[in-house]
Amino acid sequence: MGLAQGNGAGSRRSLKLLIVDDSNIMRRRIERSQQFEELQVVGTASNGVEALEMFRKTDPDMVTMDLTMPQMDGIECISKIVHLKPAVRILVISALADKATAVEAMECGANGFLNKPFTDRQLNEAIAELMS
Amino acid sequence: MLREEELKTFVEGTTNYFEVAAQQPATIGSPYLMEGAPAVHDYTGVISISGKREGVVYFTAPRAMLTVLLMKMQENDFSHETMRDLVGEVANTISGNARRDFGRDFVISVPSVLAGEKPAITQKPGQRSFIIPINWRSHSAKLIVSLT
C-alpha cells in the first residue's frame, strides 16, 4: 500500500485515481501506462482491506480494481467503496473472464470491466470511457 | 477428469497471454500427459482450483525468460520478488481467463509461488495432468494443468 508522492503537477490535475491490485507489476504497469494528464494517482493498494483504508485517506474519484486478492476480494471491496462514495467511478481490471463475474461487478457498482492481459491502448480506452 | 478438448482453453489462454502481455507470440507445443514428477524451472506460480472442478494450475519458467518478459512489459525491477510476482500473475491470468469456458464455478485461488526449491507436483487420484510446453524467444517454460 502506498500514498503517491507529489510531483508538482498535481494542481493541474483534477481527477484522483486509486490503483488496487495484489500484483506490484500490475500496479506499476497501470500507473505507467495511463496517459491522462488530468489523472493523478493518489495511492495504491494490494488487497481490499488496504484499498478501503487508502480510499478513506485519499478520497479518489476513480479506482482500478482487481478482483482476486487476499484478505478482501474486489467484489466485496467495490460494494464497500460505493457505499462510502456512490459517485466514484470503478474500472475492474481482472483475469476473470466469465460474463457472470462481470455482471456481478457491475451490479455491485463497477462502471467498467477490462480483462487481463491488456494492451496499453485497451487500458487507456477503458479509462477514457470511465472518465467520459 | 480433465479432457483433452478442455486443454484448448489453456492453450489459447497461454497463446493470448504472450501475444498481448509480451506483444510477441509464443510457440505452444503439443500438450502431453504428465508422467512422474516433471522438471520445474526457477520460479513456479501455483493456482489452486476449487468449485465444480478441483486441481492445480502451475506456470513454471526460468529466470532468464522472466527477465526478458519483464523487459517487454517495460518493467525495470528484476528482483527476486518481482520474478515471484510475475509467475504468480501469469498463472493467475491464464487460470482466470479459463473461466470464459469453464464458468464462474471454476474458482481460482490467489497465487502462491515456489522458487529455489523443487515443488512436489503430484497427481491426486482421479486427476489427469497435462503439460503444455511453451517456447518463447530462446526460452522454454511449461504450463501444467491438473484437474478432476
Side-chain angles (χ1 to χ4, degrees):
Chain A
M1 180 170 68
L3 280 165
Q5 298 295 312
N7 59 5
S11 58
R12 295 198 306 273
R13 298 180 174 188
S14 56
L15 289 171
K16 294 188 286 185
L17 174 66
L18 172 64
I19 298 170
V20 185
D21 198 299
D22 63 343
S23 164
N24 263 317
I25 295 170
M26 291 308 304
R27 293 198 300 273
R28 287 196 291 262
R29 165 91 196 279
I30 294 165
E31 184 165 7
R32 192 169 52 236
S33 301
Q34 73 84 13
Q35 296 170 342
F36 299 92
E37 286 198 355
E38 59 269 50
L39 273 185
Q40 179 190 9
V41 177
V42 291
T44 60
S46 62
N47 61 60
V49 174
E50 283 186 5
L52 282 177
E53 191 180 330
M54 286 301 295
F55 192 90
R56 291 189 178 101
K57 278 184 187 168
T58 60
D59 187 32
D61 305 292
M62 293 174 52
V63 179
T64 67
M65 178 70 68
D66 190 11
L67 292 183
T68 308
M69 297 185 292
Q71 296 189 50
M72 182 193 295
D73 68 22
I75 294 286
E76 183 180 354
C77 189
I78 289 169
S79 299
K80 291 180 186 294
I81 281 177
V82 169
H83 183 73
L84 289 171
K85 185 176 181 178
V88 69
R89 309 286 289 174
I90 300 173
L91 173 64
V92 174
I93 302 180
S94 172
L96 302 182
D98 59 293
K99 284 183 185 170
T101 297
V103 169
E104 183 184 13
M106 303 298 248
E107 285 177 348
C108 286
N111 307 94
F113 199 103
L114 176 64
N115 267 137
K116 296 177 185 176
F118 54 84
T119 62
D120 287 357
R121 181 176 174 176
Q122 288 168 331
L123 174 67
N124 282 292
E125 285 175 356
I127 290 176
E129 197 165 316
L130 202 67
M131 292 167 67
S132 63
Chain B
M1 190 176 292
L2 181 63
R3 299 193 306 275
E4 289 183 47
E5 59 267 29
E6 291 177 322
L7 278 171
K8 189 178 171 197
T9 294
F10 294 95
V11 170
E12 288 177 353
T14 306
T15 302
N16 184 54
Y17 185 86
F18 282 88
E19 279 182 2
V20 177
Q23 297 181 354
Q24 193 166 28
T27 303
I28 309 299
S30 298
Y32 56 93
L33 264 173
M34 186 177 98
E35 292 178 359
V40 295
H41 298 286
D42 302 329
Y43 292 90
T44 304
V46 184
I47 300 292
S48 296
I49 307 297
S50 58
K52 73 177 181 181
R53 308 296 289 268
E54 290 195 3
V56 187
V57 175
Y58 305 88
F59 172 73
T60 183
R63 182 181 181 93
M65 179 186 194
L66 298 172
T67 301
V68 181
L69 190 49
L70 286 168
M71 287 175 178
K72 293 288 286 183
M73 298 165 84
Q74 298 173 24
E75 178 62 57
N76 53 19
D77 178 347
F78 306 105
S79 64
H80 177 66
E81 279 311 309
T82 300
M83 299 292 167
R84 291 175 58 91
D85 189 357
L86 180 57
V87 286
E89 187 64 16
V90 175
N92 171 267
T93 301
I94 294 171
S95 303
N97 286 181
R99 283 173 52 147
R100 187 176 288 120
D101 295 328
F102 287 90
R104 71 173 306 168
D105 293 334
F106 187 83
V107 180
I108 68 170
S109 70
V110 294
S112 59
V113 175
L114 301 161
E117 57 197 286
K118 292 288 181 189
I121 298 179
T122 54
Q123 293 181 95
K124 292 181 180 171
Q127 280 183 355
R128 270 213 303 182
S129 304
F130 284 88
I131 295 177
I132 300 172
I134 303 163
N135 294 296
W136 184 68
R137 297 169 70 101
S138 60
H139 306 287
S140 298
K142 296 184 189 90
L143 191 79
I144 303 171
V145 184
S146 302
L147 288 179
T148 53

